[in-house]
Amino acid sequence: MSTEGDGAGAAAVSATAAAAAEEAAPVEDVAPKPAPAEAAQPSLRCLVLTGFGGYEKVKLQRRPAAPLAPGPGQLSLRVRACGLNFSDLFARQGVHDHLPPLPLTPGIEGAGEVVAVGEGVADRKVGDRVMVLTRWGMWQEEVTVPAAHTFLMPEAMSFEEAAALLANYMTAYMVLFDFGNLRPGHSVLVHMAAGGVGMAALQLCRTVENVTVFGTASASKHEVLREQGVAHPIDYHTSDYVEEIRKISPRGVDIVMDPLGGSDTAKGYSLLKPMGRLITYGVANMMTGPKRNLMAIARTWWNQFSVTAQQLLQSNRAVCGFYLGALEEDQELLRGVVTRLLALYSQGHIKPRIDSVWPFEKVTDAMRQLQEKKNVGKVILVPGPEKEN
Ligand SMILES: NC(=O)c1ccc[n+]([C@@H]2O[C@H](COP(=O)([O-])OP(=O)(O)OC[C@H]3O[C@@H](n4cnc5c(N)ncnc54)[C@H](OP(=O)(O)O)[C@@H]3O)[C@@H](O)[C@H]2O)c1
């Protein structure tokens, strides 16, 4: 595998390297045994979620390569890189609300080359490099998706960067600018600040003048956070971030990005200045290890934040909920966000930070990197053979 950046990402690589050989996902052949004449028929590799539970539930399999036949409005692409997201971990644990029946290929985003276009697709052609945001199914060598879910990649962008852009930056952008109304002089609390969405948020905060960022993350990641513009990194393992923020800014902050849920939503709300906004967009507190933890789920649910309209009215605060997956029908809205993000990319204001790149065989290590809180930036999967640094 290859890593970019330093610190936690690189350390994680050596820590997991010894286990990698043993834990590489076994390749299963799901195609019927070929007759001798058909033996040369190519097959495609895909990662498949075969059941709910720990890392071993995601298996590397092969399927026969069917002739490409994208339907009307669809295109097929050769996948070069895919993003690993929290939603993939929740899917594996069986706690994702919007999951189709198993077996299922995970992966909501990726990038690759167009190899066939269906009827009625006028703005894409074979050879185009595109990035994709879709429901599931990206973790395979070849995939067919609605053309409307694809975006042309800038020439300078690598497939790894493209696979790291959509879910993280669209979420960060819409949370900060659409709901958060980020303006010069504002202060923002970014949780999981060294993660995929967190890093995207830090870069986007730097596009606005004089924004003060408080960022929570494990202590080993604080140097990177400072480099990325976090004025006040906070180790939430060893200190109470509410107290720390109050010491520095007694009136609190203008925007709280809340990917944690449970009791942290109420804490975030308590930190809002008058006219402040809390945007909740995740429930990471439900996850404590590789397998579903019913106690953590119950605790997160029990500690859910609730507020009445009357309380909101009297407190001059706003609480918003954001879920990118539920905006699938709003393609015009999403396209506008991607256009603005690509402009920021071209101007050099944003650049996805890749934590590590793992071949499909090492999907277990890739998932562990995120789950064990080791990543600094985005974790990427590639279908091809292991890449040299
Ligand atoms: N609503 C939406 O549309 C949407 C879209 C994308 C992502 N999200 C949410 O955004 C959050 C970030 O997602 P991401 O994919 O970018 O992941 P990520 O931030 O890269 O996640 C990994 C990092 O999160 C931190 N973390 C905090 N609590 C954790 C826990 N219980 N388990 C594991 N790691 C934990 C860890 O770093 P430290 O402990 O060092 O901080 C870890 O390195 C998630 O809550 C996700 O569900 C929501």
Side-chain angles (χ1 to χ4, degrees):
M1 66 147 273
S2 68
T3 57
E4 227 178 82
D6 49 13
V13 173
S14 49
T16 51
E22 285 173 46
E23 304 221 358
V27 180
E28 291 184 354
D29 199 342
V30 292
K33 288 276 170 276
E38 299 169 40
Q41 189 194 356
S43 65
L44 294 170
R45 296 172 345 134
C46 49
L47 289 165
V48 179
L49 179 60
T50 56
F52 297 130
Y55 298 118
E56 74 288 352
K57 297 296 181 190
V58 179
K59 296 195 190 316
L60 180 57
Q61 299 185 344
R62 285 185 183 279
R63 62 175 173 81
L68 292 170
Q74 295 182 323
L75 56 77
S76 302
L77 72 147
R78 192 80 187 171
V79 176
R80 299 295 184 199
C82 321
L84 172 64
N85 285 284
F86 236 76
S87 55
D88 300 307
L89 306 182
F90 277 134
R92 198 199 65 230
Q93 297 194 346
V95 294
H96 199 291
D97 285 344
H98 306 280
L99 202 64
L102 304 189
L104 153 98
T105 289
I108 61 166
E109 64 181 337
E113 283 155 318
V114 176
V115 287
V117 291
E119 207 185 302
V121 179
D123 53 355
R124 299 282 182 274
K125 59 182 188 316
V126 171
D128 279 349
R129 297 178 342 127
V130 294
M131 45 194 170
V132 185
L133 183 71
T134 191
R135 277 274 158 173
W136 299 104
M138 285 308 299
W139 292 2
Q140 51 186 322
E141 280 184 290
E142 216 166 77
V143 70
T144 296
V145 293
H149 293 181
T150 68
F151 305 88
L152 288 172
M153 288 168 53
E155 232 168 75
M157 192 179 269
S158 68
F159 286 121
E160 283 86 357
E161 280 183 341
L165 190 93
L166 294 176
N168 289 172
Y169 282 79
M170 289 171 82
T171 300
Y173 186 96
M174 295 178 88
V175 165
L176 280 173
F177 292 112
D178 292 322
F179 275 141
N181 194 26
L182 180 63
R183 291 282 180 273
H186 276 166
S187 50
V188 185
L189 168 57
V190 182
H191 286 295
M192 299 164 87
V197 176
M199 282 283 176
L202 302 186
Q203 292 179 5
L204 290 169
C205 282
R206 290 167 75 177
T207 65
V208 178
E209 272 176 36
N210 193 23
V211 169
T212 304
V213 178
F214 296 84
T216 69
S218 308
S220 62
K221 305 174 185 177
H222 286 195
E223 205 178 314
V224 179
L225 293 191
R226 281 196 195 90
E227 282 164 22
Q228 296 287 322
V230 175
H232 308 289
I234 302 169
D235 180 6
Y236 67 101
H237 297 285
T238 54
S239 58
D240 179 339
Y241 63 84
V242 175
E243 279 175 21
E244 294 301 311
I245 293 171
R246 288 261 177 236
K247 276 187 217 160
I248 299 159
S249 176
R251 295 192 74 215
V253 296
D254 296 290
I255 301 172
V256 174
M257 294 181 66
D258 171 31
L260 300 170
S263 57
D264 285 293
T265 312
K267 285 184 177 182
Y269 183 78
S270 77
L271 275 170
L272 290 179
K273 287 179 183 172
M275 299 304 289
R277 285 83 57 203
L278 176 139
I279 305 96
T280 180
Y281 61 99
V283 277
N285 280 333
M286 288 195 342
M287 182 132 46
T288 58
K291 291 193 181 164
R292 185 178 70 162
N293 177 339
L294 288 176
M295 278 305 290
I297 294 170
R299 194 169 46 241
T300 307
W301 182 83
W302 181 255
N303 289 321
Q304 249 183 115
F305 175 69
S306 78
V307 65
T308 65
Q310 185 75 6
Q311 287 166 332
L312 276 178
L313 184 159
Q314 287 169 355
S315 68
N316 282 311
R317 292 166 179 166
V319 178
C320 311
F322 177 80
Y323 178 41
L324 187 60
L327 291 173
E328 205 177 33
E329 304 297 316
D330 299 87
Q331 285 301 321
E332 211 175 311
L333 174 71
L334 299 182
R335 213 150 272 284
V337 173
V338 175
T339 302
R340 290 194 288 282
L341 286 171
L342 291 181
L344 289 170
Y345 177 85
S346 303
Q347 293 154 9
H349 294 303
I350 61 170
K351 186 173 175 61
R353 184 189 171 102
I354 310 297
D355 169 77
S356 48
V357 181
W358 307 83
F360 276 1
E361 286 83 352
K362 294 192 175 165
V363 63
T364 293
D365 293 314
M367 291 188 287
R368 185 172 272 145
Q369 183 80 351
L370 205 83
Q371 193 116 46
E372 294 183 355
K373 306 183 176 179
K374 293 171 179 167
N375 65 304
V376 176
K378 186 78 178 182
V379 178
I380 295 289
L381 286 163
V382 288
E386 191 159 351
K387 269 182 115 181
E388 293 301 324
N389 279 311

